Amino acid sequence: MRILVVCTGNTCRSPLGEVLLRAHLATEPTLAHVTVASAGTSAWSGAPASEGSYLVALERGLDLSAHRATALTIDIVRQADLILAMGRSHLTTVLGMGGAGKTHTVVEYAGSSTDFPPDVADPFGGAVEGYRYTADMLDVLMASVATRLAREATT
């Protein structure tokens, strides 16, 4: 199974979502076959993770030093089995690239019973606290995604 996490520039939210989801999947032995990647609807391919995302990931023991942004393409959409969009605008873009039936906002797919807004906040260009808020939100959401995937893998 190939999971793709999508945001705008693939330097803030989706790289954080990618490494957080990988970390949660690593605790689920039934999901060892799952791979996770990320891309951006308006990414500048090759750009590193933003400094804020890099620092917040390090605070959590996660490494984004090798991350390089990837621009979303129709081929990438085709190759993914599940696509998790950070917001409704990303969802619309992915659906327009043929992602129907396998694309959801991460908030919707996680089924979080929290009071999260429908779109994951974009911390781009803001203070590190904004990145921490986004990482905290994504941590909860990606834990729920991993739990759902593990439950579905055993049924």
Side-chain angles (χ1 to χ4, degrees):
M1 174 181 226
R2 287 174 259 161
I3 299 174
L4 180 66
V5 183
V6 176
C7 73
T8 305
N10 193 218
T11 60
C12 298
R13 291 172 289 179
S14 57
L16 280 172
E18 177 185 353
V19 296
L20 287 163
L21 182 54
R22 275 195 195 129
H24 287 291
L25 292 174
T27 67
E28 298 285 351
T30 60
L31 300 175
H33 65 287
V34 177
T35 61
V36 184
S38 63
T41 59
S42 297
W44 181 16
S45 289
S50 67
E51 183 177 344
S53 288
Y54 177 79
L55 291 172
V56 169
L58 277 180
E59 291 174 353
R60 295 164 182 269
L62 303 170
D63 186 8
L64 285 175
S65 62
H67 175 80
R68 294 297 175 263
T70 300
L72 185 68
T73 65
I74 291 172
D75 284 339
I76 292 172
V77 169
R78 280 189 196 130
Q79 293 169 11
D81 299 303
L82 172 64
I83 302 172
L84 301 173
M86 291 291 145
R88 292 164 291 180
S89 66
H90 309 114
L91 177 75
T92 300
T93 300
V94 174
L95 292 175
M97 298 175 98
K102 61 182 177 180
T103 305
H104 313 270
T105 66
V106 67
V107 173
E108 176 225 344
Y109 191 82
S112 180
S113 62
T114 62
D115 291 330
F116 289 140
D119 296 346
V120 175
D122 187 357
F124 183 71
V128 72
E129 290 79 17
Y131 287 88
R132 286 185 185 121
Y133 172 81
T134 296
D136 289 344
M137 182 178 182
L138 284 170
D139 196 24
V140 171
L141 293 169
M142 293 309 185
S144 295
V145 168
T147 299
R148 176 177 176 175
L149 292 170
R151 185 176 59 247
E152 291 174 359
T154 59
T155 57

